[in-house]
Amino acid sequence: MRCLLLVTFTVFGAGLWGSSMAEAADATAWEPAESIRQVVEHFVRSRLPQQSQDARITVQGPVEGLHFPRCGHMQARDFGAANPFGAQTVEVACLTPQVWSLYLPVQVAWPQGAVVAARALGAGHVLTEGDLAVVQRDLSSLPAGAITKPAQAIGRVLQYSVAAGQSVTQGMLAGPQLIHYGQSVPLVALGQGVRLVALGMAMENGRQGQTILARNVQSGKVVTGVVDGAGQIMVAMGP
């Protein structure tokens, strides 16, 4: 990451570089770079969630050879959009006795267990434990909805093909197939405090939340309904 270092000064009294060559030569006149970095790191860490306190924070700068007067009171704040993880920029400012400020790039890395495909897998594949692996990856590099535990994916169906090593996300997965074509299945109709159940035969495969066709075995009528989590077809009750 390219180092961003913007420096601004407001000078009072003797000025930024001191009143004499002797003071310029005196290292105690300058704020140690490590002290500046510590202020920035403390600020960044204070904003992290409690469970991520072991995140690795890297503060870049100040540039070697660039000096800042000793500071009695330093404070840090976000520069631009706040981002607890990944790349960000923090402004650190001295308020007394001389006013100065600079902007330091910061990188926050928090390795997390991420579930990835252990091999290339095709769309429609029902995931098993052997299809998955857990690797350590920086949280900021994970895609939205990334799965962190294999149990969240096992038994679910891939909607898209994935490459070996690719992160598995919630958006890639559909629920398991609960109903199969030709299967006997309960047809359930609810309405106005009444619950009616009839025996049906599935005319399509179905997963939870899908609308499929089924035939009422008794009446021979073809109906549509939504598959629920118990493998029943919920049918709208007619007038």
Side-chain angles (χ1 to χ4, degrees), residues 7-13 15-16 69 94-95 97-101:
V7 185
T8 62
F9 296 99
T10 302
V11 182
F12 297 98
L16 174 65
C94 178
L95 304 182
Q98 296 191 46
V99 176
W100 50 261
S101 64

Side-chain angles (χ1 to χ4, degrees), residues 101-170:
S101 64
L102 69 157
Y103 301 81
L104 298 181
V106 179
Q107 181 71 36
V108 181
W110 184 26
Q112 291 285 290
V115 175
V116 301
R119 56 189 177 87
L121 300 168
H125 182 78
V126 180
L127 292 171
T128 66
E129 186 175 0
D131 296 325
L132 307 170
V134 178
V135 298
Q136 293 294 309
R137 288 190 175 166
D138 182 13
L139 180 66
S140 65
S141 70
L142 294 179
I147 288 175
T148 58
K149 297 179 180 178
Q152 297 172 306
I154 292 173
R156 299 180 67 182
V157 181
L158 282 172
Q159 299 190 78
Y160 318 102
S161 297
V162 297
Q166 184 176 349
S167 291
V168 179
T169 68
Q170 291 287 356

Side-chain angles (χ1 to χ4, degrees), residues 50-84:
Q50 184 62 38
Q51 67 271 24
S52 61
Q53 289 300 308
D54 59 345
R56 185 174 68 255
I57 299 172
T58 304
V59 181
Q60 296 189 13
V63 174
E64 186 176 355
L66 187 60
H67 299 297
F68 299 89
R70 277 285 188 177
C71 185
H73 179 55
M74 267 190 292
Q75 65 179 23
R77 63 182 181 182
D78 288 307
F79 178 70
N83 176 23

